[in-house]
Amino acid sequence: MEGTAMLLPQYYPYTDPVEVIVCGGSANGIALDNCARIQPEVEGAQWIVERMPSQRVMTIMTALPDGTYMIMGGAQQGVAGFGLATKPNLQAILYDPTQPKHQRFSILGTTSVARLYHSEATLLHDGRVLVTGSDPEDNLNPQEYRMEVYIPPYLTANRIQPSYTITNRDWTYNGLYNINVVLPQGPVANMRISLLGAVSTTHGASFGQRTIFPKFTCNVNACTITAPTNAHVCPPGWYQLFVLDGPTPSNSQWVRIGGDPASLGNWPADPAFSPPGMGPI
């Protein structure tokens, strides 16, 4: 009680088994210092355990556009709940699943604001991370109204962020969609594209979290993206589309993939209400 689980990135052609990572938590009040990952659909799959630099319960975690994960907040003792944890963990860390086992963590900055029960981290459209919340009711740390914005390493190397233009943001599965990119560092051979699912986060859970690296081809700066293949890979919904120039992400734009099968955009008729409807995106 309580860690955080996330899906690791999926890459075209999406044939690798889905992999889940779970970080932090507590066993009888002793905060855990590990992340564990597994491929749950693989018969006989085993957990792979890796040690974090410190113990952490009530972990805050967010996926980043380069396929890494930022981990922060929580406490080094106790369990999740009001007044049940002590020793706030003020150190942020980064997890890079592409690195060799036991070499995937790096230490980031330190905050002065305790982020305990009811804290969240949200990826912003420009690649920064918004950190909010904390209401531990422990008579030590206040109900927190301050917000922080964390700048990940990919925005601290004095590199200019790439940009792109797109006209069609309503995608069907396996569809082809055109963008025009501007890569200040270049070349296109070093470019990546990622899609990050829209999330609703609370209590260490990021509902809707996905990181997808789709297929794309480029002719000079005109690129064509192939949308993910189906709803099993990419559930219908909204995704932030990032272009990465080497390690540096662009500002994102929202694309809808898979339409609106639940008709969430169909509002009931009411003479006092002008519904937004499903209209053009």
Side-chain angles (χ1 to χ4, degrees):
M1 301 176 63
E2 151 199 335
T4 299
M6 289 211 165
L7 289 176
L8 291 178
Q10 300 166 269
Y11 296 86
Y12 175 85
Y14 319 116
T15 52
D16 290 334
V18 169
E19 192 163 10
V20 177
I21 186 168
V22 183
C23 291
S26 177
N28 299 316
I30 301 173
L32 303 179
D33 66 350
N34 63 57
C35 290
R37 48 194 284 182
I38 194 170
Q39 296 174 335
E41 296 176 333
V42 173
E43 185 176 355
Q46 301 292 316
W47 288 96
I48 298 173
V49 178
E50 300 173 274
R51 298 297 177 192
M52 293 189 291
S54 59
Q55 296 168 288
R56 198 180 302 261
V57 62
M58 296 183 292
T59 311
I60 310 170
M61 193 168 176
T62 187
L64 300 178
D66 63 350
T68 62
Y69 295 81
M70 190 171 176
I71 302 170
M72 67 193 87
Q76 299 182 67
Q77 288 182 354
V79 298
F82 293 121
L84 299 179
T86 59
K87 295 183 63 176
N89 195 325
L90 305 177
Q91 182 80 65
I93 59 176
L94 191 73
Y95 183 81
D96 185 349
T98 67
Q99 296 301 309
K101 182 181 177 183
H102 303 310
Q103 300 178 39
R104 294 169 177 155
F105 290 104
S106 54
I107 295 176
L108 301 179
T110 301
T111 181
S112 61
V113 180
R115 299 291 179 183
L116 298 168
Y117 198 49
H118 291 162
S119 299
E120 311 299 339
T122 304
L123 176 65
L124 299 176
H125 78 287
D126 60 1
R128 298 178 300 164
V129 176
L130 177 66
V131 187
T132 59
S134 190
D135 182 19
E137 298 189 12
D138 59 3
N139 297 317
L140 294 173
N141 299 282
Q143 183 174 0
E144 195 57 71
Y145 293 95
R146 290 174 291 178
M147 296 186 292
E148 298 172 283
V149 174
Y150 193 93
I151 303 174
Y154 51 57
L155 294 177
T156 60
N158 295 320
R159 295 168 61 95
I160 301 172
Q161 288 184 263
S163 62
Y164 68 90
T165 57
I166 184 171
T167 55
N168 189 344
R169 297 190 294 117
D170 196 5
W171 295 9
T172 58
Y173 293 118
N174 267 329
L176 301 178
Y177 300 95
N178 298 322
I179 62 173
N180 286 288
V181 301
V182 177
L183 306 178
Q185 284 74 225
V188 171
N190 293 334
M191 189 182 92
R192 292 180 294 163
I193 291 174
S194 61
L195 292 161
L196 275 78
V199 299
S200 174
T201 66
T202 182
H203 290 75
S206 291
F207 303 98
Q209 178 269 324
R210 296 254 173 171
T211 302
I212 298 172
F213 287 88
K215 177 184 178 182
F216 68 93
T217 58
C218 294
N219 181 6
V220 191
N221 286 350
C223 300
T224 300
I225 305 169
T226 302
T229 51
N230 56 52
H232 298 289
V233 172
C234 176
W238 291 90
Y239 292 79
Q240 287 179 276
L241 173 64
F242 287 94
V243 168
L244 294 109
D245 184 359
T248 309
S250 65
N251 284 11
S252 69
Q253 297 187 51
W254 289 99
V255 297
R256 185 174 70 176
I257 303 176
D260 185 16
S263 298
L264 297 177
N266 291 339
W267 295 79
D270 188 313
F273 179 68
S274 298
M278 292 176 62
I281 296 173

